[in-house]
Amino acid sequence: MKKIYFAGGCFWGVQHFFDGVDGVSATRCGYANGRPGPAPTYEEVYTDNTGFAETVEVSYDPQRISLEALADLFFCIIDPLSVNRQGHDEGTRYRTGVYFSDDAEREILAPVFASREKLSGAPLAVELEPLRNFFPAEERHQAYLEKNPGGYCHLSPRTFTYLRLYQDLSNLLGDEPDMVARMSETAPLIAERLHFLWTGFYRVAGEELVLGPFAGPVACLRIGFGKGVCGTAWKERRTIVVPDVEKFPGHIACSSLSRSEIVVPLIIGGEVVAVLDIDSAYEDSFDSTDAVWLGKIAALVVISG
Ligand code: SME
């Protein structure tokens, strides 16, 4: 069993998240990298004068999950550019960081940080430092969200649904090499867990997108390059969130029930090979949580595809 320490804002939500990660055997909320002992109280840390960061100690089985995979999941639940603030929580105690006890772990983590920085296009505000000290938090802070269902959590509730979905999908897809089979498994699973109006794929075929596996009402068969939300995501090679489809110039209304939409490109070797398109019957259904996790799902679908 190995241990790694994640500071990702309010530790209640961060602990709840890592409790749901397959391969994690135990978690503890605590205070890390502050002034030397004795152990601080929550109230002392709350003053922001102790230097401690709210931190979760994650014990994991390296045979089941790698340190890279854990760090990658951690980056899905933080805003890595935000300084001393995550969600509504502000202060140095809510700074972000990964703290390790063995220098070999820095070697593993540094490339994860480097690729995240490249993606962000700006210097990360996330610390990568040796663990100087860690004091477990008071019992009332442990498993807080299990003890207080519906209690305060700075993470979007959908985060936890996406985590389970991502892990289940990863197990289901395994090393299946056929990308259409991978898409066919993915679309209904997303639909089943998140109940959107339409969830499916369009594949690049020459100058057009052609309908692929989907769950939901009948849809348009073909979409041109640069046309609609799907064709624009293909052309611009980026995820597009449309809060109100009526305000997106050129939106293609396959279903009159669609009110908002997200389209995520599937990319292999820099080329868009397909898009994942999700429609909702409600306005403003998608935010950065959806963009992050659907991006991760899109990358999972193309693996070995
Ligand atoms: N609305 C999409 C077309 C596909 S359907 O939503 C399934 C678009 O504008 O690209």
Side-chain angles (χ1 to χ4, degrees):
M1 217 52 70
K2 295 193 127 213
K3 286 180 182 172
I4 188 74
Y5 296 79
F6 292 115
C10 177
F11 52 17
W12 296 342
V14 177
Q15 181 181 36
H16 190 58
F17 178 80
F18 281 104
D19 279 340
V21 172
D22 298 342
V24 167
S25 52
T27 59
R28 268 199 305 181
C29 284
Y31 312 112
N33 284 16
R35 54 121 173 94
T41 64
Y42 181 78
E43 288 67 27
E44 280 165 349
V45 173
Y46 204 84
T47 64
D48 248 6
N49 293 324
T50 62
F52 284 103
E54 289 199 6
T55 299
V56 175
E57 176 188 72
V58 172
S59 304
Y60 66 99
D61 177 354
Q63 306 291 329
R64 294 189 59 208
I65 187 159
S66 66
L67 182 57
E68 291 102 312
L70 277 172
D72 217 64
L73 288 171
F74 169 68
F75 273 103
C76 291
I77 59 162
I78 59 164
D79 175 349
L81 302 182
S82 178
V83 179
N84 298 331
R85 185 188 176 97
Q86 292 295 313
H88 295 298
D89 303 312
E90 208 173 348
T92 58
R93 62 196 182 281
Y94 297 120
R95 69 185 183 271
T96 51
V98 183
Y99 308 123
F100 52 85
S101 359
D102 173 351
D103 246 356
E105 291 168 329
R106 186 203 289 274
E107 307 298 309
I108 296 169
L109 292 163
V112 179
F113 273 62
S115 73
R116 284 289 166 162
E117 188 154 287
K118 202 170 156 206
L119 263 179
S120 300
L124 301 186
V126 190
E127 296 177 336
L128 176 58
E129 288 178 6
L131 180 75
R132 292 203 306 276
N133 51 11
F134 178 80
F135 296 102
E138 296 84 344
E139 190 48 40
R140 68 180 189 281
H141 293 294
Q142 305 298 342
Y144 180 88
L145 289 168
E146 273 79 49
K147 291 175 189 159
N148 303 279
Y152 172 77
C153 183
H154 73 289
L155 299 171
S156 149
R158 225 176 251 175
T159 305
F160 306 101
T161 308
Y162 273 123
L163 172 64
R164 191 66 262 152
L165 166 61
Y166 178 78
Q167 296 181 124
D168 291 347
L169 194 57
S170 176
N171 291 332
L172 276 168
L173 298 182
D175 55 8
E176 167 56 51
D178 186 291
M179 201 164 67
V180 173
R182 295 175 79 85
M183 290 174 173
S184 305
E185 201 79 300
T186 302
L189 196 70
I190 296 175
E192 182 186 301
R193 301 284 173 90
L194 288 149
H195 314 290
F196 294 121
L197 174 68
W198 196 90
T199 304
F201 294 90
Y202 281 91
R203 290 179 300 137
V204 170
E207 291 307 299
E208 287 178 314
L209 289 167
V210 62
L211 183 62
F214 71 94
V218 289
C220 325
L221 282 168
R222 286 174 184 267
I223 298 171
F225 181 71
K227 304 285 184 213
V229 187
C230 291
T232 306
W234 173 18
K235 187 175 171 190
E236 297 182 4
R237 296 171 189 224
R238 65 180 182 94
T239 294
I240 299 184
V241 174
V242 182
D244 178 353
V245 295
E246 313 224 321
K247 296 201 177 113
F248 187 92
H251 169 257
I252 302 164
C254 288
S255 163
S256 59
L257 295 174
S258 174
R259 287 283 165 273
S260 58
E261 179 164 359
I262 183 168
V263 179
V264 183
L266 276 66
I267 297 175
I268 298 180
E271 290 297 310
V272 176
V273 295
V275 298
L276 166 60
D277 176 16
I278 303 186
D279 286 51
S280 163
Y282 305 97
E283 264 182 38
D284 208 10
S285 287
F286 305 102
D287 62 17
S288 59
T289 299
D290 301 281
V292 164
W293 286 97
L294 293 171
K296 214 167 153 53
I297 288 170
L300 183 64
V301 172
V302 296
I303 284 175
S304 66

